[in-house]
Amino acid sequence: MLFAYNILTYIVGFHLKLIALFNKKISLGVEGRKKSFAILKEALAPEPKTVWFHCASLGEYEQGLPVFEQIKLLYPHHKIILSFFSPSGYEIKKDSSLADVVVYLPLDTRANARRFISLVSPDLVIFVKYEIWPNYLFELKRRKIRTILISALFRPSQTYFKSSGKWMLGALGTFNWIFVQNDASVELLKKHGITNASRSGDTRFDRVNAQLGRDNTIEILDSFKDGNLLMVAGSTWPEGEDILVDFINSDNSSTKFIIAPHKIKESRMEKLSRSVDKEVIRLSRIEDPDLSGYKVLILDTIGMLARAYSYADLAYVGGAMGTTGLHNTLEPAVFGIPIIIGPNYEKFPEAKDMIRAGGMFVAHDATEFRMLLEKLILEEEFRRRSGECNSNYIKKNMGAVVQIMDFIRKY
């Protein structure tokens, strides 16, 4: 099966080059991978000591960041190599101060794996969550390089645990240690013969908790909120925005709303703005810093959402009204506010946990959304208690970084 995988990798690489002619995002990855070896060769001469972090995209980077930061402190004389597979990670973090070198990971062929690892020659390798690239892992194992997987999450339906995927299970077994998010993942791995794993929890809890210690001030939001109840709708998609806007257009309370769409596209921002009947302003169109007269603020920019949640009294998180996948619910939860989501959250254990704890609520349709939102707006004590459930959940699940770092120091 590994032979077939290698053939398929070359076929995929060829087709990516064709698709890149018509797709800007794919083109960024294809062109970026061409430069990776040259970048490494220039940056790493004459063969310094290195630590290599690899993430699929921006989400995994954010998940691994609290561990990366601690490892950088532990290895002050090593160069940090950060690789991404997806443009959504590389293009945003290519100038990251965390790393000395940021590159695209070349496709997972034997030749690429050997060349990449020969150039980097790391003393320690950290992969995040789902990054299982067999050729790279087998080569790291052959060279006896310490390799750790963090914040992993496994389900019986995944390829590794099917009869056709046993060779992929072998790739999993190359890690010196696997830190997983829950006990079910530990048991599943043990059932299939992998015992070098333990539950550390999810590093995202440590990541979002650190947000509490940062300066979350955004002066324009002070003006916008103006002492009123505020709902922040984060990482929204059209299916959720439609329901929210319908509520806003009929809401006569003093409640204010911030909408932060997941994708910032001018035509979509204009359409969203026009659909709101109340006083609405886009962040990029603000001229007068006094926003007290507006009911809705659209964040048509990136990088502000985590801090915006600190101003919220309640939140809606997008992605689960449709099929795109629920976005980050831990970011608002850390600020102790209740959260509404859509019904497609089955692959997100933190959502299940917060629903059971009483801090998160599921709206299956516009009617349920309206009922939930009205209850949270009108019932202050209910809103407060629900929010406390979420902040307590974050505190209870912190500590993954400490466990991972203890292992790395001792290993």
Side-chain angles (χ1 to χ4, degrees):
M1 289 300 293
L2 181 57
F3 175 77
Y5 169 82
N6 288 330
I7 296 296
L8 182 62
T9 300
Y10 280 105
I11 294 172
V12 168
F14 174 76
H15 282 89
L16 284 176
K17 291 177 182 178
L18 294 179
I19 298 170
L21 298 173
F22 310 98
N23 185 296
K24 184 178 179 181
K25 183 177 179 180
I26 298 297
S27 177
L28 288 171
V30 169
E31 292 303 313
R33 268 178 263 280
K34 289 180 182 178
K35 304 171 184 175
S36 293
F37 291 124
I39 292 172
L40 289 169
K41 189 173 182 179
E42 180 179 353
L44 297 181
E47 301 182 358
K49 293 182 177 180
T50 69
V51 174
W52 171 26
F53 304 143
H54 176 65
C55 313
S57 62
L58 183 61
E60 286 76 15
Y61 171 83
E62 295 294 342
Q63 197 160 22
L65 185 57
V67 175
F68 299 162
E69 290 172 336
Q70 291 301 309
I71 290 176
K72 186 172 182 178
L73 293 175
L74 187 63
Y75 292 86
H77 304 299
H78 284 60
K79 281 199 171 184
I80 303 298
I81 313 303
L82 173 63
S83 63
F84 290 98
F85 189 81
S86 168
S88 67
Y90 176 85
E91 296 302 326
I92 293 175
K93 292 299 177 180
K94 59 187 175 183
D95 297 317
S96 170
S97 59
L98 172 81
D100 297 286
V101 187
V102 184
V103 294
Y104 278 100
L105 184 72
L107 291 180
D108 185 33
T109 66
R110 287 179 179 175
N112 283 345
R114 289 169 182 163
R115 187 178 179 189
F116 188 95
I117 295 168
S118 291
L119 283 169
V120 175
S121 190
D123 290 321
L124 174 66
V125 180
I126 306 290
F127 281 21
V128 183
K129 200 171 182 178
Y130 294 134
E131 285 302 273
I132 314 297
W133 297 110
N135 285 311
Y136 280 97
L137 290 171
F138 288 136
E139 186 64 19
L140 288 166
K141 178 73 171 180
R142 188 182 71 79
R143 300 190 188 205
K144 298 180 180 179
I145 295 172
R146 287 187 302 162
T147 307
I148 297 170
L149 180 64
I150 64 172
S151 286
L153 190 62
F154 297 107
R155 299 182 299 275
S157 60
Q158 290 171 312
T159 303
Y160 324 111
F161 310 114
K162 297 178 180 179
S163 57
S164 59
K166 285 186 177 180
W167 67 279
M168 282 290 284
L169 191 65
L172 265 183
T174 63
F175 285 103
N176 293 100
W177 204 262
I178 300 173
F179 289 97
V180 299
Q181 295 184 29
N182 56 26
D183 292 327
S185 293
V186 174
E187 294 305 314
L188 183 59
L189 289 172
K190 284 182 179 178
K191 181 180 177 182
H192 290 272
I194 295 179
T195 57
N196 54 330
S198 61
R199 180 189 183 279
S200 64
D202 190 340
T203 52
R204 288 182 302 161
F205 290 96
D206 300 87
R207 170 68 172 149
V208 297
N209 188 70
Q211 191 69 39
L212 295 177
R214 297 190 175 97
D215 182 4
N216 293 301
T217 303
I218 304 175
E219 291 184 4
I220 204 74
L221 297 194
D222 287 312
S223 172
F224 175 70
K225 183 169 183 177
D226 194 32
N228 294 291
L229 193 74
L230 173 64
M231 178 183 195
V232 173
S235 301
T236 61
W237 291 81
E239 60 270 16
E241 292 164 359
D242 292 343
I243 292 173
L244 176 60
V245 169
D246 283 345
F247 179 91
I248 292 170
N249 288 342
S250 63
D251 178 48
N252 294 316
S253 74
S254 61
T255 306
K256 296 203 170 190
F257 300 85
I258 290 176
I259 305 175
H262 179 65
K263 288 191 174 181
I264 309 298
K265 188 177 180 181
E266 180 59 27
S267 60
R268 190 178 154 204
M269 295 304 96
E270 276 299 305
K271 182 179 179 181
L272 176 59
S273 183
R274 288 196 304 268
S275 70
V276 179
D277 295 337
K278 302 297 176 82
E279 301 82 1
V280 58
I281 184 76
R282 289 171 53 183
L283 184 69
S284 64
R285 303 290 174 85
I286 293 174
E287 296 179 357
D288 185 347
D290 182 7
L291 300 184
S292 58
Y294 291 96
K295 187 176 182 69
V296 180
L297 171 63
I298 298 174
L299 296 185
D300 55 349
T301 185
I302 60 173
M304 293 179 65
L305 181 57
R307 288 183 293 155
Y309 281 131
S310 72
Y311 286 81
D313 298 286
L314 61 155
Y316 163 76
V317 176
M321 281 291 182
T323 57
T324 51
L326 180 63
H327 291 286
N328 194 333
T329 55
L330 299 182
E331 283 188 342
V334 76
F335 291 106
I337 57 175
I339 302 165
I340 299 174
I341 63 170
N344 297 317
Y345 61 87
E346 285 302 313
K347 293 183 179 180
F348 300 86
E350 67 274 16
K352 294 179 182 179
D353 290 342
M354 283 189 277
I355 291 167
R356 282 193 293 266
M360 184 177 288
F361 306 93
V362 180
H364 292 82
D365 52 36
T367 301
E368 280 192 339
F369 184 87
R370 177 175 292 275
M371 290 174 61
L372 283 168
L373 192 46
E374 286 178 345
K375 184 176 177 67
L376 286 166
I377 289 173
L378 295 173
E379 299 183 23
E380 181 179 354
E381 180 60 19
F382 173 66
R383 187 173 66 245
R384 184 191 64 77
R385 284 188 283 105
S386 302
E388 276 187 1
C389 291
N390 286 339
S391 58
N392 290 337
Y393 173 67
I394 298 293
K395 293 173 185 174
K396 179 182 176 182
N397 285 279
M398 287 170 53
V401 174
V402 172
Q403 292 186 51
I404 293 168
M405 291 308 299
D406 282 348
F407 176 86
I408 290 172
R409 289 187 183 96
K410 293 173 184 177
Y411 191 82

